[in-house]
Amino acid sequence: MSSVFQAPYPVNLDLSGRRVLVVGGGEVAARKVAGLLRAGAVVTVVAPDAVAAIAEDPDVRWHQRSYRRGEVASYRLAITATDDPSVNRQVARDGEAANVLVNSADDPANCSFILPAVVRRGDLQLTVSTNGRSPAFATWARRRLEETFTDAHAAVLELSSEVREEVKATN
C-alpha cells in the first residue's frame, strides 16, 4: 500500500452478486454503499451506528458493531469510511493478508485501489482520477464533465451500439 500509486491500472469491476464489506456507517459510507448496490454488489456494513440510508435499506446487511480483526477475508472487496485511522489501517492489513482489495476513503496510505470521480449518463461512464493526490481537483473535473456530457450522449451511445451489433451480424 502506498500514498500514491506509481501507475494505477484502470479497470471496471463486475461486482454483480459479489460480497462487499463497508466499514463505517456515516454519509460517506452511505454514498459508497449506494454505488456498490447500483453495481449489483451484495453489501454488508459493519458499524456501531449508521445513517438512515444504511440502517433502513433492506438491501444492506448491517452489523451494528465494530469491525472484527480478520473479517474482511470473507469478502471480495472492502471499503472503509471511518474517522478512525487505526480501523482503516487494520482493515487494510487484513485485506492485504487475505488478498482482498481495500479502499479507504480519503486515506490513500491504506488503499490497494483508489476510486475515481464518476459521471454516468446511461451506459456511458466517465471517470477522473488524480491518483489519490487531489480529490478536490477530481471533483472539479467531474463537474466539468457533467456539464459537457448529457443524456443526449447516452442516446448516441445506444444508437452506435445498435449499429455495431447490426454490422457484426452481417459479417
Side-chain angles (χ1 to χ4, degrees):
M1 289 168 284
S2 162
S3 61
V4 177
F5 300 97
Q6 287 186 349
Y9 188 77
V11 63
N12 291 332
L13 297 175
D14 179 4
L15 295 177
S16 302
R18 311 285 182 170
R19 292 171 32 95
V20 177
L21 175 66
V22 175
V23 180
E27 291 298 333
V28 172
R31 286 194 303 272
K32 305 300 182 185
V33 166
L36 291 165
L37 290 173
R38 203 170 31 252
V42 177
V43 179
T44 298
V45 173
V46 171
D49 299 299
V51 296
I54 292 172
E56 297 172 7
D57 189 329
D59 295 325
V60 175
R61 178 185 220 177
W62 174 36
H63 296 292
Q64 191 173 5
R65 59 170 172 75
S66 297
Y67 174 78
R68 294 178 183 153
R69 186 175 182 173
E71 75 179 294
V72 74
S74 299
Y75 297 88
R76 176 64 62 102
L77 189 81
I79 296 178
T80 66
T82 76
D83 292 332
D84 187 339
S86 65
V87 171
N88 298 346
R89 193 168 33 259
Q90 186 63 57
V91 175
R93 285 182 185 149
D94 292 349
E96 187 69 23
N99 289 317
V100 174
L101 296 175
V102 176
N103 173 269
S104 189
D106 288 332
D107 186 3
N110 288 306
C111 291
S112 53
F113 72 97
I114 52 178
L115 294 169
V118 179
V119 175
R120 288 183 181 85
R121 300 289 186 253
D123 283 335
L124 178 62
Q125 181 172 280
L126 305 157
T127 63
V128 176
S129 174
T130 60
N131 205 16
R133 297 187 65 197
S134 179
F137 185 88
T139 298
W140 174 85
R142 177 187 49 80
R143 287 184 181 137
R144 302 292 87 66
L145 289 172
E146 285 175 334
E147 294 166 2
T148 303
F149 290 88
T150 67
D151 290 337
H153 291 93
V156 169
L157 172 62
E158 185 65 31
L159 179 60
S160 63
S161 175
E162 291 173 13
V163 170
R164 177 176 184 251
E165 291 303 314
E166 288 176 14
V167 169
K168 285 173 53 177
T170 61
N171 289 334

